[in-house]
Amino acid sequence: MFDLPTKEEILKGLTTDVYFIRTEEVLKKNNINKKVTMEVAQKGMPAEYPFGIFTGLTNVLKLLENKPVDVYAIPEGNIFFENTPVMTIVGNYLDFGIYETAILGFLCHSSGISTKAAKCKIAAGDKIVLSFGARRVHPAISGMVDKYAYIGGCDGFSVVFAEKLIGKKASGTIPHALIIQVGDTLETMKLYDAVIDENVKRIALIDTFGDERFESLRVAEYLKDKLYGIRLDTPGSRRGNLKKIAEEIRWELDIRGFNHVKLFASGGLDEKAIIELKSVIDGFGVGTSISNAKVMDFSMDIVEIDGKPLSKKGKMSGFKYAYQCENCLNQRFSVKSDDEIFCDCGNKMVMITKKVMENGKILWEEDIESIKNRVVSQFDRIKKGIYVI
């Protein structure tokens, strides 16, 4: 009805590219089913992403559960760079080859969203960042977008469905549609305050009809201490200099004793806009730039056949393990060895590739907060490195 494959159809391989179906047909007809090692890595990082945040592993493991394959991966939420082997699958090709399209889809899309969210949160520092991009994507993936934006560092999200994925309540203010129907910003906030649970923060949208400064003061003088924040979502055609407007509102609120009122901005924001505005804005609702983030361009390639190194040209053959410097996050890959590997900074590097599935049994499981904490724990070291914005 809504152009959606069911879970069963995904598990049957019906979301694969057709040439994998034909590949299976040829292999089965000729009794070919070799044990392969397939590596997932990204060759060439776009200028937009000097680093990446690896997410989507949980979904891949659920897809491959009970299949006779072994899976190795770096931790979900870990940073990665060009050529880092983020995941490796070992098994007979016909047991999992048909899932290549779905595996890459899970990893490429979620990692792109998490990386963009991380960049926005790094730019914002201690300021609030909320994921507001559900209306820019197919509703079937709106929860997924909010989940991986949250994992990437966003402090909150807007989609109700994502609550059961994340285990937290969705966030939001009021839409223009409510104000237009009531006919006045202050009257709308009066009704909102009378109806909506008192535990929901009162944040007024103040750019529907009148001047942002005077609308802010009208609402603040009525709600007083109950007013948590003001949201500016002024359209580009009327915006002028958003930072100047926010500075004026901040000044007028402060000299009247409304220092507690926070300023929020939304509409067409990304990490560069956040850097420009964060001296005056307390929180950001980021939509399109996160939900439509450039996906990671992972590829999935055979690097061994029956345990012997073999790959296509342009791809380094052999099973590789990722090593990382805990000090500066730099990474290298190598065959497994007892020899110590050292970073250019002089620190010993540790192997971050772990076995996460054995013969179809999932060996690794982490909750969303643990993965998110891993992402956020890397921010200070990312900022110190060459990977910033």
Side-chain angles (χ1 to χ4, degrees), residues 31-168:
N31 295 315
I32 299 172
N33 188 20
K34 296 185 177 182
K35 184 177 181 180
V36 300
T37 300
M38 295 195 74
E39 175 185 285
V40 177
Q42 177 151 324
K43 187 172 181 63
M45 298 290 287
E48 183 180 357
Y49 292 142
F51 67 91
I53 299 295
F54 175 62
T55 55
L57 175 61
T58 304
N59 284 324
V60 173
L61 294 181
K62 288 295 183 182
L63 178 68
L64 297 177
E65 190 172 16
N66 298 321
K67 306 291 188 298
V69 299
D70 296 341
V71 180
Y72 301 77
I74 67 173
E76 186 158 15
N78 210 91
I79 194 171
F80 71 90
F81 303 100
E82 180 180 6
N83 293 326
T84 299
V86 296
M87 189 177 76
T88 304
I89 305 173
V90 181
N92 290 339
Y93 182 84
L94 289 176
D95 290 324
F96 72 95
I98 198 172
Y99 293 125
E100 179 173 333
T101 306
I103 290 168
L104 290 175
F106 281 137
L107 299 179
C108 293
H109 202 172
S110 60
S111 296
I113 290 168
S114 296
T115 304
K116 191 67 169 182
K119 291 183 71 178
C120 288
K121 184 58 182 176
I122 289 171
D126 59 358
K127 301 298 180 72
I128 296 169
V129 179
L130 303 175
S131 173
F132 275 7
R135 65 189 58 195
R136 300 291 182 257
V137 298
H138 193 293
I141 64 168
S142 58
M144 181 278 286
V145 169
D146 271 355
K147 172 184 174 180
Y148 287 105
Y150 177 77
I151 286 175
C154 284
D155 301 286
F157 54 92
S158 65
V159 172
V160 176
F161 177 75
E163 291 180 344
K164 74 176 187 178
L165 300 179
I166 298 171
K168 292 184 177 294

Side-chain angles (χ1 to χ4, degrees), residues 246-254 258-259 261 263 280 282:
E247 288 173 342
E248 182 180 338
I249 293 172
R250 180 78 276 160
W251 173 267
E252 297 297 335
L253 288 171
D254 287 353
F258 299 118
N259 311 69
V261 177
L263 299 187
V280 64
D282 301 295

